[in-house]
Amino acid sequence: MPPIQDHPLRYQLANELHARPFPTVKAPATAVFLAVKRLDSAAARDRNADLEHLLALLDRYGAPHPQPDASHYSGDLGHYSLKWESHTEFVTYTAFRDGVSDRPFDPADFEVFPTDWLDSLPGHRVTSALIRIETSKEDAAVRTDVAEHFVSESVAVARVLDDTAIVAGDFRIDAAGHLRFLINASEDTGARRIGRIVQRLCEIETYKAMSMLGLARVRDMGPELGALDQRLTQLISHMPGGAVNAEDTLDDLLAISAELEGMVARSSYRFGATAAYEQIVKQRIDVLREERFLGRQTFGEFMMRRYDPAMRTVRSTKERLDAMADRAMRAGELLRTRVDVERSAQNQDVLESMNRRADLQLRLQRTVEGLSVVAISYYAVSLAGYVLYPLAEPTGLSKDMLTALVAFPILLLVWWLVRRIRRKLE
């Protein structure tokens, strides 16, 4: 029996599901997170530059290198362990170490990433976070820590994963430029579960920040979109009365349509990415299985109040842009129909004018033919007279009488010849 032929990508695709395992974190611990993105054409960036920058960091600590085309990496950096991932538009670095600093959320923890190395990042920081992982604190102590280290007006706190841990964060940037997250895990919470919590918090923050780029794009588009909407509305409002030239209006409408299509082309990727990132944020919050902690708002409630309105703004702007493009297209079709009707009427007038000119030309031709018969007959009779004048005396007829006798037959002959020639030409 011949061996089964595997698809060339079978193992690659199967292993992709297991390529990014959750980190293993034992409490107490500290996690440092960094996400980097290029400003323009991030999805089409040179990924080798990202990998080379990772190698520069690994060489600082003498750590082993990943595979040449790797999209993820895990290894040790001195007292830290590093998890690196390359995504469609951004790259993330997460460093873990055992224990916590005496000073909660100490900016010195971020020094695992050297300053000169950060200055040469192949992109810009999208977000960064300090995550403090503690264990076995009472609810009252957790409440004190939340009040001390977070802004009470925006902090979100929740029990997660069947009350195995309490997580808190306010999604605000502190004086050192980082966000803060606090995790208080129960004593019996496993290292893998804590790692999943850390990973989920980093993903929530990263994809939230990435999706908010859609809101920034919408705000930049706002003035231009408003001006185009006003121009389009004015053009459409003047269409029914026919007070303006249809062809000129069509040219203006085509210009607006071109601008709208350009905006759609420039923003379609960002709108699509924003929708995808929004779904990831909501899914990551759902899998935390939140429960309320001492009456405080959960992460889901925070997103509902602060994040969802921004995403609705992006969706409504996308729908507005699509609707304007459709309006411009429909108005263009109506104008083209109107122009075609006007041109058909003009063509009909031209045809009627041509028919009138042809009729006049025919009449003129017939008149000319009649005059030509008379002229030819006149010259033919004159020539015949000269030929027949010598016969006048023998026959006893005068010259006038002889001319009168031959005039009518010659006239008939000329008329018949002209008529025959015209029929042959027709």
Side-chain angles (χ1 to χ4, degrees), residues 168-182:
D170 58 5
F171 296 97
R172 290 181 178 270
I173 300 174
D174 65 13
H178 312 298
L179 279 79
R180 298 177 176 183
F181 291 103
L182 174 66

Side-chain angles (χ1 to χ4, degrees), residues 296-364:
R296 306 305 294 265
Q297 69 174 345
T298 63
F299 282 76
E301 291 174 337
F302 175 88
M303 294 299 176
M304 179 184 66
R305 294 177 52 218
R306 308 293 182 90
Y307 175 72
D308 287 354
M311 295 300 100
R312 285 195 295 271
T313 300
V314 175
R315 287 195 297 274
S316 65
T317 301
K318 178 182 181 300
E319 292 170 359
R320 180 188 180 190
L321 182 58
D322 292 340
M324 287 176 61
D326 290 340
R327 285 169 56 200
M329 182 174 63
R330 291 195 300 270
E333 291 175 353
L334 290 174
L335 269 179
R336 279 190 289 270
T337 301
R338 178 176 165 185
V339 169
D340 291 341
V341 171
E342 291 180 354
R343 287 178 178 173
S344 297
Q346 292 174 358
N347 292 337
Q348 186 66 31
D349 293 339
V350 171
L351 290 175
E352 292 178 359
S353 176
M354 291 176 62
N355 289 336
R356 287 194 298 269
R357 285 198 297 269
D359 185 58
L360 291 174
Q361 186 175 2
L362 180 60
R363 293 181 182 179
L364 180 60

Side-chain angles (χ1 to χ4, degrees), residues 96-202:
F96 305 89
R97 73 170 176 84
D98 295 332
V100 293
S101 303
D102 294 335
R103 176 187 173 188
F105 304 105
D106 190 346
D109 292 333
F110 207 78
E111 293 177 358
V112 62
F113 301 124
T115 302
D116 60 336
W117 179 84
L118 290 172
D119 292 339
S120 60
L121 283 172
H124 294 73
R125 173 171 58 177
V126 176
T127 187
S128 60
L130 300 175
I131 304 173
R132 185 179 179 88
I133 307 164
E134 301 175 336
T135 184
S136 302
K137 278 194 172 183
E138 299 293 334
D139 289 357
V142 173
R143 179 172 56 187
T144 300
D145 289 343
V146 169
E148 184 175 349
H149 303 302
F150 299 98
V151 178
S152 60
E153 187 270 335
S154 57
V155 67
V157 190
R159 303 180 190 273
V160 298
L161 300 181
D162 305 320
D163 201 16
T164 57
I166 300 171
V167 296
D170 58 5
F171 296 97
R172 290 181 178 270
I173 300 174
D174 65 13
H178 312 298
L179 279 79
R180 298 177 176 183
F181 291 103
L182 174 66
I183 301 175
N184 181 52
S186 303
E187 288 185 353
D188 56 350
T189 303
R192 291 186 180 278
R193 175 162 285 191
I194 295 176
R196 286 199 297 272
I197 295 173
V198 173
Q199 182 77 12
R200 296 310 185 202
L201 289 176
C202 293

